Amino acid sequence: MPIYHTLGHLPRKRHAVFRRADGALYAEELIGNKGFVGPASLLYHVHQPTAVREVTIHRELAWAADPEPTFRHRHFRTAQLPPAPSLTADRVPLLFNPDVAMSFAAPEREDDYFYRNAQGDEVVFVSDGAGVLETVMGAIAFGPGDYLVIPRGILHRYRFTERPLRCLVIESRGYVRTPARYRNEHGQLTEAAPFSERDIRRPAGLETRDERGAFTLVVKKQNRLTRYTLEYHPFDVVGWDGYYYPWAFNIHDFEPRVGRFHLPPPVHQTFEGDGFVICSFCPRPYDFDPQAVPVPYAHSNVMSDEVLYYASAEFMSRKGIEYGSVTLHPDGIPHGPHPGRTEASLGQTRTDELAVMLDTFRPLQVSTAALGIEDPGYYRSWLEGGA
Ligand SMILES: [Fe+2]
């Protein structure tokens, strides 16, 4: 995130002597990506963050692709997924390619360990529930509609205050950022962007825990969860500064763009990654010309697979979807409004739709774990009179 942020206590110069009250040195740690040249933050720990007692395998994450050789429009109902214990370990994979993966989590309980994703950045969209994202860099309270952006390598855990939690999880090989076209050459969001820095919630409330014992950390790397027993409580940071940290943005802080006639999906873009974009479809007035057709036209995705997560049961151009639905409209075949939806939209003045869209530039594979919640007839749902 190109906003400098700092919490706690720091020495005046980087890499300079900085001592605890007992005279020992604080332990400096750089966290970032792209080695020493990407966005980074510098943390000061009470103890060395490298003190590990044990390393064991926690779980293998075998993601298998649906062997179905045809491609077609797909529909999955996440509302049918039963709760599973963990937000971090029991995510159900839905769709994936080498750049990005979408999964869904309905956690029954808080983890009894800390977690770090070492293979990807995470964007966790909180569809239901509330809590606190506790991290090594401070805490962020979250609630419905929040996107939690957790760059890789940042140790954290979730605390729940309102249940049930239902979360859409997007894991990205590349760095997740705001769209470049929203920022000026200095990194600031411009007046034309649909949100501003004021909408970006950064960590607060840094609490320093100076505790020795056995603290479990689960690290995701190479599609495997590895379990570490740490010698010291990992939330032992007294201060940090930099540009690399978790942040939150609520979908309702996205200011939707409306035109006299239909505007295409890029106006809804919220994030970009390597090989994908994420867009937010928010409640808004419809196009305001009396002759405007509010719902979109059919379109063949151009080198892009399009995934929608429906965070409300309403979506202007679709029928048969429900809260929690996920649709996949792949590149190579057109999709568009369902029969009757275009005519019905004429004269409408607003929509209350709420949806998260993931557009990927490389084809997605469907996870076998998603087949049990699939609506198998979806690809025929554009037939007049219904499938
Ligand atoms: Fe579309």
Short mmCIF file of all heavy atoms in Angstrom, two decimals, residues 146-201:
data_model
loop_
_atom_site.label_atom_id
_atom_site.label_comp_id
_atom_site.label_asym_id
_atom_site.label_seq_id
_atom_site.Cartn_x
_atom_site.Cartn_y
_atom_site.Cartn_z
N ASP A 146 -16.20 -6.05 4.23
CA ASP A 146 -14.78 -5.68 4.24
C ASP A 146 -13.96 -6.60 3.33
O ASP A 146 -14.13 -7.82 3.36
CB ASP A 146 -14.21 -5.77 5.66
CG ASP A 146 -14.40 -4.49 6.44
OD1 ASP A 146 -14.57 -3.43 5.82
OD2 ASP A 146 -14.40 -4.55 7.68
N TYR A 147 -13.08 -5.97 2.59
CA TYR A 147 -11.98 -6.70 1.96
C TYR A 147 -10.79 -6.56 2.91
O TYR A 147 -10.36 -5.43 3.21
CB TYR A 147 -11.57 -6.05 0.64
CG TYR A 147 -12.53 -6.11 -0.51
CD1 TYR A 147 -13.31 -5.00 -0.86
CD2 TYR A 147 -12.63 -7.26 -1.30
CE1 TYR A 147 -14.14 -5.03 -1.97
CE2 TYR A 147 -13.48 -7.30 -2.40
CZ TYR A 147 -14.22 -6.18 -2.73
OH TYR A 147 -15.05 -6.21 -3.83
N LEU A 148 -10.24 -7.66 3.37
CA LEU A 148 -9.01 -7.64 4.17
C LEU A 148 -7.87 -8.03 3.23
O LEU A 148 -7.89 -9.13 2.66
CB LEU A 148 -9.11 -8.63 5.33
CG LEU A 148 -10.28 -8.41 6.29
CD1 LEU A 148 -10.37 -9.55 7.29
CD2 LEU A 148 -10.13 -7.08 7.00
N VAL A 149 -6.93 -7.13 3.04
CA VAL A 149 -5.80 -7.39 2.15
C VAL A 149 -4.59 -7.69 3.02
O VAL A 149 -4.14 -6.83 3.79
CB VAL A 149 -5.54 -6.18 1.23
CG1 VAL A 149 -4.40 -6.50 0.27
CG2 VAL A 149 -6.79 -5.79 0.47
N ILE A 150 -4.10 -8.93 2.91
CA ILE A 150 -2.99 -9.36 3.77
C ILE A 150 -1.85 -9.80 2.86
O ILE A 150 -1.85 -10.91 2.32
CB ILE A 150 -3.44 -10.52 4.69
CG1 ILE A 150 -4.72 -10.13 5.43
CG2 ILE A 150 -2.32 -10.87 5.68
CD1 ILE A 150 -5.42 -11.30 6.09
N PRO A 151 -0.87 -8.92 2.66
CA PRO A 151 0.26 -9.30 1.82
C PRO A 151 0.99 -10.52 2.39
O PRO A 151 0.99 -10.73 3.62
CB PRO A 151 1.16 -8.05 1.84
CG PRO A 151 0.25 -6.93 2.20
CD PRO A 151 -0.76 -7.53 3.13
N ARG A 152 1.62 -11.26 1.51
CA ARG A 152 2.27 -12.50 1.94
C ARG A 152 3.31 -12.23 3.03
O ARG A 152 3.93 -11.17 3.09
CB ARG A 152 2.96 -13.17 0.75
CG ARG A 152 4.21 -12.46 0.29
CD ARG A 152 4.78 -13.11 -0.95
NE ARG A 152 3.80 -13.07 -2.02
CZ ARG A 152 3.72 -13.96 -3.00
NH1 ARG A 152 4.55 -14.97 -3.05
NH2 ARG A 152 2.80 -13.85 -3.93
N GLY A 153 3.43 -13.20 3.90
CA GLY A 153 4.49 -13.12 4.91
C GLY A 153 4.09 -12.44 6.20
O GLY A 153 4.89 -12.42 7.14
N ILE A 154 2.88 -11.89 6.25
CA ILE A 154 2.48 -11.18 7.48
C ILE A 154 1.74 -12.14 8.40
O ILE A 154 0.67 -12.66 8.06
CB ILE A 154 1.64 -9.94 7.13
CG1 ILE A 154 2.50 -8.93 6.37
CG2 ILE A 154 1.06 -9.32 8.41
CD1 ILE A 154 1.79 -7.68 5.94
N LEU A 155 2.30 -12.36 9.55
CA LEU A 155 1.75 -13.30 10.53
C LEU A 155 0.48 -12.71 11.14
O LEU A 155 0.45 -11.52 11.50
CB LEU A 155 2.83 -13.54 11.59
CG LEU A 155 2.57 -14.56 12.68
CD1 LEU A 155 3.89 -15.21 13.09
CD2 LEU A 155 1.90 -13.93 13.90
N HIS A 156 -0.56 -13.54 11.26
CA HIS A 156 -1.83 -13.01 11.78
C HIS A 156 -2.70 -14.13 12.33
O HIS A 156 -2.39 -15.33 12.18
CB HIS A 156 -2.57 -12.25 10.68
CG HIS A 156 -2.94 -13.06 9.48
ND1 HIS A 156 -2.05 -13.34 8.46
CD2 HIS A 156 -4.10 -13.66 9.11
CE1 HIS A 156 -2.65 -14.05 7.52
NE2 HIS A 156 -3.89 -14.28 7.90
N ARG A 157 -3.79 -13.74 12.95
CA ARG A 157 -4.84 -14.67 13.36
C ARG A 157 -6.14 -13.87 13.42
O ARG A 157 -6.13 -12.64 13.54
CB ARG A 157 -4.55 -15.33 14.70
CG ARG A 157 -4.58 -14.37 15.87
CD ARG A 157 -4.27 -15.09 17.18
NE ARG A 157 -4.20 -14.15 18.29
CZ ARG A 157 -3.81 -14.46 19.52
NH1 ARG A 157 -3.45 -15.71 19.80
NH2 ARG A 157 -3.77 -13.55 20.48
N TYR A 158 -7.26 -14.58 13.35
CA TYR A 158 -8.58 -13.93 13.38
C TYR A 158 -9.23 -14.16 14.74
O TYR A 158 -9.14 -15.25 15.31
CB TYR A 158 -9.49 -14.52 12.31
CG TYR A 158 -9.04 -14.22 10.89
CD1 TYR A 158 -8.15 -15.07 10.24
CD2 TYR A 158 -9.49 -13.10 10.22
CE1 TYR A 158 -7.73 -14.80 8.94
CE2 TYR A 158 -9.09 -12.83 8.92
CZ TYR A 158 -8.21 -13.69 8.29
OH TYR A 158 -7.80 -13.42 7.01
N ARG A 159 -9.89 -13.14 15.22
CA ARG A 159 -10.76 -13.26 16.38
C ARG A 159 -12.17 -12.89 15.94
O ARG A 159 -12.35 -11.90 15.22
CB ARG A 159 -10.29 -12.33 17.51
CG ARG A 159 -8.98 -12.81 18.14
CD ARG A 159 -9.25 -14.08 18.94
NE ARG A 159 -8.07 -14.67 19.53
CZ ARG A 159 -7.48 -15.79 19.08
NH1 ARG A 159 -7.94 -16.39 18.00
NH2 ARG A 159 -6.46 -16.31 19.71
N PHE A 160 -13.15 -13.68 16.33
CA PHE A 160 -14.52 -13.48 15.86
C PHE A 160 -15.35 -12.80 16.95
O PHE A 160 -15.30 -13.18 18.12
CB PHE A 160 -15.18 -14.82 15.51
CG PHE A 160 -14.41 -15.66 14.53
CD1 PHE A 160 -14.58 -17.04 14.50
CD2 PHE A 160 -13.52 -15.09 13.63
CE1 PHE A 160 -13.89 -17.83 13.60
CE2 PHE A 160 -12.81 -15.87 12.72
CZ PHE A 160 -13.00 -17.25 12.71
N THR A 161 -16.15 -11.82 16.55
CA THR A 161 -17.06 -11.18 17.49
C THR A 161 -18.52 -11.38 17.10
O THR A 161 -19.41 -11.29 17.94
CB THR A 161 -16.78 -9.67 17.60
OG1 THR A 161 -16.83 -9.09 16.29
CG2 THR A 161 -15.41 -9.41 18.21
N GLU A 162 -18.76 -11.63 15.82
CA GLU A 162 -20.13 -11.93 15.34
C GLU A 162 -20.06 -13.13 14.42
O GLU A 162 -19.30 -13.14 13.46
CB GLU A 162 -20.72 -10.74 14.59
CG GLU A 162 -21.19 -9.62 15.50
CD GLU A 162 -21.74 -8.43 14.70
OE1 GLU A 162 -22.34 -8.67 13.63
OE2 GLU A 162 -21.54 -7.29 15.14
N ARG A 163 -20.84 -14.14 14.71
CA ARG A 163 -20.87 -15.35 13.90
C ARG A 163 -22.26 -15.52 13.32
O ARG A 163 -23.21 -15.00 13.90
CB ARG A 163 -20.50 -16.56 14.75
CG ARG A 163 -19.14 -16.45 15.42
CD ARG A 163 -19.05 -17.55 16.48
NE ARG A 163 -18.02 -17.26 17.45
CZ ARG A 163 -16.92 -18.01 17.61
NH1 ARG A 163 -16.72 -19.04 16.87
NH2 ARG A 163 -16.04 -17.70 18.54
N PRO A 164 -22.39 -16.33 12.29
CA PRO A 164 -21.34 -17.07 11.60
C PRO A 164 -20.52 -16.18 10.68
O PRO A 164 -21.01 -15.15 10.21
CB PRO A 164 -22.13 -18.10 10.79
CG PRO A 164 -23.43 -17.42 10.49
CD PRO A 164 -23.73 -16.59 11.71
N LEU A 165 -19.29 -16.61 10.45
CA LEU A 165 -18.45 -15.95 9.47
C LEU A 165 -18.55 -16.70 8.15
O LEU A 165 -18.53 -17.94 8.13
CB LEU A 165 -16.98 -15.96 9.92
CG LEU A 165 -16.42 -14.58 10.25
CD1 LEU A 165 -16.93 -14.18 11.61
CD2 LEU A 165 -14.92 -14.56 10.19
N ARG A 166 -18.68 -15.95 7.08
CA ARG A 166 -18.62 -16.54 5.74
C ARG A 166 -17.74 -15.63 4.90
O ARG A 166 -18.02 -14.45 4.75
CB ARG A 166 -20.03 -16.69 5.15
CG ARG A 166 -20.90 -17.62 5.98
CD ARG A 166 -22.21 -17.95 5.30
NE ARG A 166 -22.08 -18.86 4.17
CZ ARG A 166 -21.98 -20.18 4.28
NH1 ARG A 166 -21.96 -20.76 5.45
NH2 ARG A 166 -21.88 -20.93 3.19
N CYS A 167 -16.68 -16.21 4.38
CA CYS A 167 -15.64 -15.41 3.72
C CYS A 167 -15.27 -15.99 2.36
O CYS A 167 -15.07 -17.20 2.22
CB CYS A 167 -14.37 -15.37 4.58
SG CYS A 167 -14.61 -14.68 6.22
N LEU A 168 -15.16 -15.11 1.39
CA LEU A 168 -14.61 -15.45 0.09
C LEU A 168 -13.12 -15.12 0.16
O LEU A 168 -12.75 -13.99 0.52
CB LEU A 168 -15.29 -14.62 -0.99
CG LEU A 168 -14.91 -14.94 -2.43
CD1 LEU A 168 -15.60 -16.23 -2.88
CD2 LEU A 168 -15.31 -13.78 -3.34
N VAL A 169 -12.29 -16.08 -0.19
CA VAL A 169 -10.84 -15.88 -0.06
C VAL A 169 -10.19 -15.94 -1.45
O VAL A 169 -10.38 -16.90 -2.19
CB VAL A 169 -10.21 -16.95 0.85
CG1 VAL A 169 -8.71 -16.71 0.99
CG2 VAL A 169 -10.88 -16.95 2.22
N ILE A 170 -9.45 -14.89 -1.78
CA ILE A 170 -8.71 -14.84 -3.04
C ILE A 170 -7.23 -14.81 -2.70
O ILE A 170 -6.78 -13.94 -1.94
CB ILE A 170 -9.13 -13.61 -3.87
CG1 ILE A 170 -10.61 -13.74 -4.27
CG2 ILE A 170 -8.24 -13.45 -5.11
CD1 ILE A 170 -11.19 -12.48 -4.88
N GLU A 171 -6.50 -15.79 -3.20
CA GLU A 171 -5.05 -15.85 -2.96
C GLU A 171 -4.34 -15.55 -4.27
O GLU A 171 -4.67 -16.12 -5.31
CB GLU A 171 -4.66 -17.22 -2.42
CG GLU A 171 -5.20 -17.48 -1.03
CD GLU A 171 -4.89 -18.88 -0.53
OE1 GLU A 171 -3.73 -19.19 -0.30
OE2 GLU A 171 -5.85 -19.66 -0.39
N SER A 172 -3.36 -14.67 -4.20
CA SER A 172 -2.71 -14.15 -5.39
C SER A 172 -1.21 -14.41 -5.36
O SER A 172 -0.55 -14.12 -4.36
CB SER A 172 -2.95 -12.64 -5.47
OG SER A 172 -2.06 -12.03 -6.37
N ARG A 173 -0.70 -14.91 -6.48
CA ARG A 173 0.75 -15.11 -6.57
C ARG A 173 1.47 -13.75 -6.55
O ARG A 173 2.54 -13.61 -5.97
CB ARG A 173 1.07 -15.85 -7.87
CG ARG A 173 2.53 -16.14 -8.12
CD ARG A 173 2.72 -16.87 -9.45
NE ARG A 173 2.09 -16.15 -10.56
CZ ARG A 173 2.63 -15.09 -11.19
NH1 ARG A 173 3.81 -14.64 -10.82
NH2 ARG A 173 1.99 -14.49 -12.18
N GLY A 174 0.88 -12.74 -7.20
CA GLY A 174 1.51 -11.43 -7.28
C GLY A 174 0.97 -10.48 -6.21
O GLY A 174 0.03 -10.78 -5.47
N TYR A 175 1.60 -9.32 -6.16
CA TYR A 175 1.26 -8.30 -5.16
C TYR A 175 -0.11 -7.70 -5.47
O TYR A 175 -0.37 -7.25 -6.59
CB TYR A 175 2.35 -7.22 -5.22
CG TYR A 175 2.25 -6.14 -4.17
CD1 TYR A 175 2.15 -6.44 -2.82
CD2 TYR A 175 2.31 -4.80 -4.55
CE1 TYR A 175 2.09 -5.43 -1.87
CE2 TYR A 175 2.25 -3.79 -3.60
CZ TYR A 175 2.15 -4.12 -2.27
OH TYR A 175 2.09 -3.13 -1.33
N VAL A 176 -0.98 -7.66 -4.49
CA VAL A 176 -2.31 -7.07 -4.66
C VAL A 176 -2.23 -5.58 -4.36
O VAL A 176 -1.73 -5.17 -3.31
CB VAL A 176 -3.34 -7.76 -3.75
CG1 VAL A 176 -4.68 -7.06 -3.84
CG2 VAL A 176 -3.48 -9.23 -4.13
N ARG A 177 -2.72 -4.78 -5.28
CA ARG A 177 -2.61 -3.32 -5.13
C ARG A 177 -3.84 -2.64 -5.69
O ARG A 177 -4.65 -3.26 -6.37
CB ARG A 177 -1.33 -2.79 -5.80
CG ARG A 177 -1.25 -2.99 -7.31
CD ARG A 177 -0.45 -4.21 -7.70
NE ARG A 177 -0.31 -4.36 -9.14
CZ ARG A 177 0.12 -5.48 -9.73
NH1 ARG A 177 0.41 -6.55 -9.03
NH2 ARG A 177 0.25 -5.55 -11.03
N THR A 178 -3.92 -1.32 -5.46
CA THR A 178 -4.99 -0.55 -6.09
C THR A 178 -4.61 -0.35 -7.56
O THR A 178 -3.42 -0.35 -7.91
CB THR A 178 -5.16 0.81 -5.40
OG1 THR A 178 -3.91 1.50 -5.39
CG2 THR A 178 -5.65 0.64 -3.97
N PRO A 179 -5.59 -0.17 -8.45
CA PRO A 179 -5.28 -0.05 -9.87
C PRO A 179 -4.35 1.13 -10.16
O PRO A 179 -4.54 2.24 -9.64
CB PRO A 179 -6.65 0.16 -10.52
CG PRO A 179 -7.61 -0.47 -9.56
CD PRO A 179 -7.04 -0.20 -8.20
N ALA A 180 -3.37 0.89 -11.00
CA ALA A 180 -2.38 1.93 -11.31
C ALA A 180 -3.05 3.17 -11.90
O ALA A 180 -2.62 4.30 -11.64
CB ALA A 180 -1.33 1.38 -12.28
N ARG A 181 -4.13 2.98 -12.66
CA ARG A 181 -4.75 4.15 -13.31
C ARG A 181 -5.50 5.03 -12.31
O ARG A 181 -5.93 6.12 -12.67
CB ARG A 181 -5.68 3.69 -14.45
CG ARG A 181 -6.85 2.85 -14.00
CD ARG A 181 -7.57 2.26 -15.23
NE ARG A 181 -8.39 1.12 -14.86
CZ ARG A 181 -9.62 1.19 -14.40
NH1 ARG A 181 -10.17 2.35 -14.27
NH2 ARG A 181 -10.30 0.11 -14.08
N TYR A 182 -5.68 4.56 -11.07
CA TYR A 182 -6.30 5.39 -10.04
C TYR A 182 -5.26 6.26 -9.33
O TYR A 182 -5.64 7.11 -8.52
CB TYR A 182 -6.99 4.54 -8.98
CG TYR A 182 -8.21 3.78 -9.45
CD1 TYR A 182 -8.79 2.80 -8.64
CD2 TYR A 182 -8.81 4.03 -10.68
CE1 TYR A 182 -9.90 2.09 -9.03
CE2 TYR A 182 -9.92 3.32 -11.09
CZ TYR A 182 -10.46 2.35 -10.27
OH TYR A 182 -11.57 1.65 -10.66
N ARG A 183 -3.97 5.99 -9.57
CA ARG A 183 -2.92 6.68 -8.80
C ARG A 183 -2.11 7.61 -9.69
O ARG A 183 -1.92 7.34 -10.88
CB ARG A 183 -1.99 5.64 -8.17
CG ARG A 183 -2.63 4.88 -7.03
CD ARG A 183 -1.68 3.92 -6.36
NE ARG A 183 -1.87 2.56 -6.87
CZ ARG A 183 -0.94 1.84 -7.45
NH1 ARG A 183 0.28 2.33 -7.62
NH2 ARG A 183 -1.20 0.62 -7.87
N ASN A 184 -1.64 8.69 -9.11
CA ASN A 184 -0.75 9.57 -9.86
C ASN A 184 0.69 9.04 -9.80
O ASN A 184 0.96 7.99 -9.21
CB ASN A 184 -0.86 11.01 -9.37
CG ASN A 184 -0.43 11.16 -7.91
OD1 ASN A 184 0.37 10.37 -7.40
ND2 ASN A 184 -0.95 12.17 -7.24
N GLU A 185 1.63 9.77 -10.41
CA GLU A 185 3.01 9.27 -10.49
C GLU A 185 3.68 9.20 -9.12
O GLU A 185 4.75 8.62 -8.98
CB GLU A 185 3.83 10.11 -11.47
CG GLU A 185 4.11 11.54 -11.03
CD GLU A 185 3.04 12.52 -11.49
OE1 GLU A 185 1.85 12.14 -11.54
OE2 GLU A 185 3.40 13.68 -11.81
N HIS A 186 3.05 9.77 -8.11
CA HIS A 186 3.61 9.72 -6.76
C HIS A 186 2.94 8.63 -5.91
O HIS A 186 3.25 8.49 -4.74
CB HIS A 186 3.45 11.08 -6.07
CG HIS A 186 4.02 12.21 -6.88
ND1 HIS A 186 5.37 12.39 -7.04
CD2 HIS A 186 3.41 13.17 -7.63
CE1 HIS A 186 5.57 13.43 -7.84
NE2 HIS A 186 4.41 13.92 -8.21
N GLY A 187 1.97 7.92 -6.50
CA GLY A 187 1.32 6.84 -5.78
C GLY A 187 0.03 7.23 -5.10
O GLY A 187 -0.70 6.38 -4.58
N GLN A 188 -0.29 8.52 -5.10
CA GLN A 188 -1.51 8.96 -4.42
C GLN A 188 -2.73 8.67 -5.30
O GLN A 188 -2.69 8.83 -6.52
CB GLN A 188 -1.44 10.46 -4.14
CG GLN A 188 -2.64 10.99 -3.36
CD GLN A 188 -2.54 12.48 -3.06
OE1 GLN A 188 -1.65 13.17 -3.58
NE2 GLN A 188 -3.41 12.96 -2.22
N LEU A 189 -3.81 8.25 -4.66
CA LEU A 189 -5.06 8.06 -5.40
C LEU A 189 -5.55 9.43 -5.87
O LEU A 189 -5.56 10.40 -5.10
CB LEU A 189 -6.10 7.39 -4.50
CG LEU A 189 -5.77 5.94 -4.13
CD1 LEU A 189 -6.62 5.47 -2.94
CD2 LEU A 189 -5.98 5.01 -5.32
N THR A 190 -5.95 9.50 -7.14
CA THR A 190 -6.34 10.79 -7.69
C THR A 190 -7.79 11.12 -7.37
O THR A 190 -8.55 10.26 -6.88
CB THR A 190 -6.16 10.81 -9.22
OG1 THR A 190 -7.18 10.00 -9.80
CG2 THR A 190 -4.78 10.32 -9.63
N GLU A 191 -8.18 12.34 -7.67
CA GLU A 191 -9.57 12.77 -7.46
C GLU A 191 -10.54 11.96 -8.31
O GLU A 191 -11.74 11.91 -8.03
CB GLU A 191 -9.70 14.26 -7.79
CG GLU A 191 -9.06 15.17 -6.75
CD GLU A 191 -9.81 15.13 -5.42
OE1 GLU A 191 -11.05 15.25 -5.43
OE2 GLU A 191 -9.16 14.96 -4.37
N ALA A 192 -10.06 11.33 -9.37
CA ALA A 192 -10.93 10.55 -10.24
C ALA A 192 -11.13 9.13 -9.75
O ALA A 192 -11.98 8.40 -10.26
CB ALA A 192 -10.35 10.53 -11.66
N ALA A 193 -10.38 8.70 -8.75
CA ALA A 193 -10.50 7.32 -8.26
C ALA A 193 -11.82 7.16 -7.50
O ALA A 193 -12.31 8.11 -6.88
CB ALA A 193 -9.32 7.00 -7.35
N PRO A 194 -12.38 5.95 -7.50
CA PRO A 194 -13.66 5.72 -6.81
C PRO A 194 -13.52 5.53 -5.30
O PRO A 194 -14.50 5.19 -4.64
CB PRO A 194 -14.21 4.47 -7.50
CG PRO A 194 -12.99 3.76 -7.98
CD PRO A 194 -11.96 4.80 -8.30
N PHE A 195 -12.34 5.69 -4.77
CA PHE A 195 -12.14 5.68 -3.31
C PHE A 195 -10.86 6.44 -3.04
O PHE A 195 -10.10 6.77 -3.97
CB PHE A 195 -12.09 4.25 -2.74
CG PHE A 195 -11.16 3.32 -3.45
CD1 PHE A 195 -9.83 3.22 -3.08
CD2 PHE A 195 -11.61 2.53 -4.50
CE1 PHE A 195 -8.97 2.35 -3.73
CE2 PHE A 195 -10.75 1.66 -5.17
CZ PHE A 195 -9.42 1.57 -4.78
N SER A 196 -10.63 6.75 -1.78
CA SER A 196 -9.45 7.54 -1.45
C SER A 196 -8.69 6.90 -0.30
O SER A 196 -9.17 5.94 0.33
CB SER A 196 -9.86 8.97 -1.06
OG SER A 196 -10.32 8.99 0.27
N GLU A 197 -7.53 7.45 0.01
CA GLU A 197 -6.74 6.93 1.13
C GLU A 197 -7.53 6.95 2.43
O GLU A 197 -7.30 6.15 3.32
CB GLU A 197 -5.46 7.75 1.30
CG GLU A 197 -4.35 7.42 0.31
CD GLU A 197 -4.51 8.12 -1.03
OE1 GLU A 197 -5.49 8.88 -1.20
OE2 GLU A 197 -3.65 7.91 -1.91
N ARG A 198 -8.47 7.87 2.54
CA ARG A 198 -9.26 7.97 3.76
C ARG A 198 -10.12 6.72 3.98
O ARG A 198 -10.54 6.43 5.10
CB ARG A 198 -10.16 9.21 3.69
CG ARG A 198 -10.47 9.81 5.03
CD ARG A 198 -11.24 11.09 4.91
NE ARG A 198 -10.45 12.17 4.32
CZ ARG A 198 -10.90 13.40 4.13
NH1 ARG A 198 -12.15 13.71 4.47
NH2 ARG A 198 -10.13 14.32 3.60
N ASP A 199 -10.37 5.99 2.92
CA ASP A 199 -11.16 4.76 3.01
C ASP A 199 -10.32 3.53 3.33
O ASP A 199 -10.86 2.44 3.55
CB ASP A 199 -11.90 4.52 1.69
CG ASP A 199 -12.82 5.66 1.32
OD1 ASP A 199 -13.57 6.12 2.20
OD2 ASP A 199 -12.79 6.10 0.15
N ILE A 200 -9.01 3.68 3.29
CA ILE A 200 -8.10 2.55 3.54
C ILE A 200 -7.82 2.48 5.04
O ILE A 200 -7.27 3.41 5.62
CB ILE A 200 -6.76 2.75 2.78
CG1 ILE A 200 -6.99 2.98 1.29
CG2 ILE A 200 -5.81 1.58 3.05
CD1 ILE A 200 -7.53 1.81 0.53
N ARG A 201 -8.23 1.37 5.65
CA ARG A 201 -8.03 1.21 7.10
C ARG A 201 -6.75 0.43 7.37
O ARG A 201 -6.56 -0.66 6.85
CB ARG A 201 -9.24 0.53 7.72
CG ARG A 201 -10.42 1.52 7.82
CD ARG A 201 -11.76 0.85 7.64
NE ARG A 201 -11.87 -0.35 8.40
CZ ARG A 201 -12.52 -1.44 7.96
NH1 ARG A 201 -13.10 -1.44 6.77
NH2 ARG A 201 -12.59 -2.52 8.70
#
